[in-house]
Amino acid sequence: MTAGSSVPTAEEPTAEEPPAQGSSDGPGPRPRLLRDLSLSAVLAGLVVVVVSYSGPLAIVLAAARAAHLDAGQTASWIWAISIGSGLTCIALSLRTRMPIVTAWSTPGAALLVTSIGSYAYDEVIGAFVVSGLVIALIGLTGIFGRLMRLVPGAVVSAMLAGVLFSFCADVFTSLEHTPLIAGSVLLAYLLGKRWLPRYAVLLALVAGLIGSAVSAKLHIHIDHVGLARPVFTAPAFSVASLIGIAVPLTLATLASQNAPGIGVLTASGYRPDDRLLVGSTGLVSAGLAFFGSHAVNLAAITAAICTGPEAHRDPRRRYVAGVSCGVLYLVVGVLGSTLVAFFAGLPEELVASIGGVALFGALAGGLTGAVREEKDREAALITFLATASGVTLFGIGSAFWGLVCGVVAHVVLNARRRKRRGDAGQGLPA
């Protein structure tokens, strides 16, 4: 199926083949949100939120501790990244009719853990503002998109598969530590795929919760319910904070989040507008930086939960998963630490298992796209291995380095083949 073909209809089988596009310029009128609502899409958004607040948020909290922030400033940070992610998920998904999932920059937060304590908090806020504006400028000018379009499709698919590999494998490594939880999730998922494929992840979640309760692994303690109160901080600017925070944060967000985020959408058959997506998330990041948000960007791993057939059989209706995710982000952001405490009480093995089975379809699609063309397979293999290795260089994650290695391999291998074909055409030995 080519990039220019029409979107598959609901009657066409899409579980094994990604959609050709998801842009709003497809044939027919735009679908209405209420008509397109489905339990599977709403569930996909729920899984994204559970995974996000059960894992990556811990890095943000570690950065807040390293900065010696008080409870109000920490709650404001969580509020800002949650509200920013929620608003952009809803607005961009409705605007594009694609399952656009945004989140906070996990690599960026990891960088902050080791650097944020060296600067005054108002200087940190100033660096966040500048980083958001720079990302918006790079996105709106189209520079980022032009660079991404130079990457071969097989390399992008292999990068997606490499990113998802360890998360899908966690389903089986969890069997070693908590066989009841992981085993019940996997068994329920397989039975659901056999008889109720649209609700397979829901059945897996219910089975996992039951297994967690039986294993006495649920530790949910909510002392009080309260609303978050954003705290405004006037920014200050210094050369040291711009170099030490803004520059690496910008690079990590673009390379480790937005690049694979665009790649996930592309590998799933959609045609994302990079200017709109990267530019708007950069502007939102800059606006919410005054309340503590370090970066709002395209999600990569969790986005794949919403772009595959598990979210909905019809690719034109998967945008509901992005809207669902955004609404739940807003709920968590408004309630602040109340729901964060709830997610923190879920066992790690349950979160890993649910996230893994929800990504099976996306991983299969990535592997299929990576090996479809024989001439691209070696470059795709190198991309997959480099990405799956988890290597981090200069504070930039393996997804970016997988793309770099794959592009270099593609150029070298195809240049060699072109030269051989040229020599053979001139009667020279190949």
Side-chain angles (χ1 to χ4, degrees):
M1 187 176 296
T2 63
S5 60
S6 60
V7 182
T9 62
E11 288 73 23
E12 294 177 2
T14 59
E16 302 298 330
E17 185 177 355
Q21 63 179 8
S23 57
S24 58
D25 59 353
R30 284 190 172 192
R32 294 189 301 271
L33 179 61
L34 291 179
R35 185 184 66 190
D36 290 341
L37 277 175
S38 65
L39 180 59
S40 58
V42 172
L43 178 64
L46 173 62
V47 172
V48 168
V49 172
V50 170
V51 171
S52 297
Y53 285 101
S54 302
L57 185 67
I59 302 177
V60 174
L61 297 176
R65 288 192 295 269
H68 307 291
L69 302 185
D70 59 34
Q73 291 170 323
T74 302
S76 181
W77 191 343
I78 296 173
W79 175 87
I81 57 177
S82 301
I83 296 300
S85 300
L87 291 176
T88 49
C89 277
I90 295 171
L92 293 174
S93 294
L94 290 175
R95 171 68 180 85
T96 65
R97 290 301 192 265
M98 296 185 228
I100 305 299
V101 177
T102 59
W104 51 91
S105 175
T106 302
L111 290 171
L112 293 173
V113 172
T114 59
S115 62
I116 195 171
S118 302
Y119 308 95
Y121 186 55
D122 57 354
E123 293 181 347
V124 172
I125 295 299
F128 289 171
V129 172
V130 171
S131 175
L133 292 175
V134 171
I135 291 173
L137 180 64
I138 292 175
L140 292 172
T141 56
I143 296 173
F144 183 78
R146 285 194 290 272
L147 292 175
M148 285 297 298
R149 282 188 286 274
L150 295 176
V151 182
V155 170
V156 173
S157 294
M159 180 273 295
L160 170 63
V163 167
L164 302 181
F165 174 76
S166 63
F167 292 88
C168 293
D170 282 346
V171 177
F172 303 96
T173 56
S174 296
L175 286 170
E176 179 181 358
H177 306 290
T178 54
L180 179 58
I181 297 175
S184 60
V185 168
L186 183 59
L187 179 60
Y189 174 79
L190 292 175
L191 294 175
K193 289 294 288 185
R194 174 64 180 83
W195 283 287
L196 295 169
R198 287 184 59 183
Y199 308 110
V201 177
L202 174 60
L203 295 174
L205 177 60
V206 172
L209 288 171
I210 295 173
S212 300
V214 172
S215 304
K217 288 282 188 177
L218 284 176
H219 304 290
I220 300 174
H221 302 286
I222 299 178
D223 299 326
H224 68 281
V225 177
L227 301 180
R229 296 181 178 178
V231 177
F232 178 85
T233 301
F237 303 95
S238 69
V239 174
S241 65
L242 294 180
I243 295 176
I245 293 180
V247 172
L249 177 60
T250 299
L251 293 175
T253 301
L254 286 171
S256 298
Q257 293 280 174
N258 284 325
I262 292 289
V264 166
L265 288 166
T266 303
S268 299
Y270 294 96
R271 296 187 295 186
D273 182 345
D274 55 273
R275 295 192 183 195
L276 172 65
L277 302 185
V278 178
S280 59
T281 52
L283 290 175
V284 170
S285 296
L288 289 171
F290 298 97
F291 302 96
S293 171
H294 62 293
V296 173
N297 45 244
L298 296 176
I301 298 165
T302 51
I305 297 173
C306 296
T307 60
E310 282 75 16
H312 199 280
R313 186 167 174 265
D314 185 351
R316 293 175 298 186
R317 296 177 64 180
R318 293 174 194 165
Y319 76 94
V320 175
V323 176
S324 166
C325 179
V327 171
L328 293 171
Y329 271 143
L330 293 180
V331 172
V332 176
V334 170
L335 294 178
S337 59
T338 303
L339 287 183
V340 172
F342 170 81
F343 290 122
L346 298 177
E348 179 182 343
E349 295 81 6
L350 173 61
V351 175
S353 299
I354 290 298
V357 297
L359 290 168
F360 279 177
L363 175 60
L367 292 173
T368 300
V371 300
R372 183 174 289 120
E373 298 291 337
E374 183 178 358
K375 66 180 180 62
D376 295 327
R377 286 176 186 169
E378 288 178 277
L381 175 63
I382 291 172
T383 303
F384 172 79
L385 293 174
T387 305
S389 71
V391 63
T392 298
L393 298 175
F394 311 110
I396 300 176
S398 61
F400 174 77
W401 298 116
L403 287 176
V404 171
C405 292
V407 170
V408 170
H410 176 82
V411 171
V412 171
L413 294 173
N414 282 278
R416 181 187 65 187
R417 289 175 177 136
R418 283 195 297 268
K419 184 177 184 301
R420 287 180 175 178
R421 286 195 296 267
D423 290 343
Q426 296 173 12
L428 299 176

